[in-house]
Amino acid sequence: MNKFIFFQNAANDCMVYPVARLTGVEGEDDSLKFTFASSATGNDTVSVTIADDTDELLVMQAVAQLINKHPHSDGIIVIADDVNSVYAHTSMASVGAAA
């Protein structure tokens, strides 16, 4: 079964990407930037805000563990969902729009 990464930043505004297209996660001062290969435009990025003074590596490890966790009954892995307040790590706070 294919796995997909899910982000939602508002009602009726969500993004789902195949895990296989995740090319990297970059930690910045108070956010993580997820980059996905896109056949149409080159790359898509989704930013997730994290709490100040959070160790980005700990958040990245939580995301990696969630992606590698088995089983996924529906194939959808929720990384950040602002509407339902579901996050891969407790220090995640909000999702930015895809760029």
Side-chain angles (χ1 to χ4, degrees):
M1 173 189 302
N2 292 327
K3 296 180 188 180
F4 296 87
I5 297 177
F6 177 85
F7 302 91
Q8 183 167 6
N9 59 358
N12 299 317
D13 191 6
C14 62
M15 299 145 279
V16 177
Y17 293 95
V19 169
R21 290 171 68 190
L22 178 64
T23 61
V25 180
E26 181 179 345
E28 297 179 348
D29 185 32
D30 55 358
S31 68
L32 294 181
K33 183 169 62 173
F34 293 79
T35 303
F36 298 91
S38 173
S39 58
T41 60
N43 290 321
D44 291 343
T45 59
V46 178
S47 291
V48 177
T49 303
I50 58 176
D52 282 339
D53 299 323
T54 299
D55 184 345
E56 290 87 0
L57 178 59
L58 292 177
V59 181
M60 289 182 206
Q61 287 171 331
V63 169
Q65 289 171 353
L66 190 60
I67 289 171
N68 291 313
K69 183 178 175 181
H70 294 284
H72 294 291
S73 60
D74 62 3
I76 300 293
I77 303 162
V78 177
I79 300 299
D81 180 350
D82 293 345
V83 173
N84 297 297
S85 299
V86 176
Y87 302 97
H89 191 271
T90 58
S91 68
M92 290 180 164
S94 65
V95 180

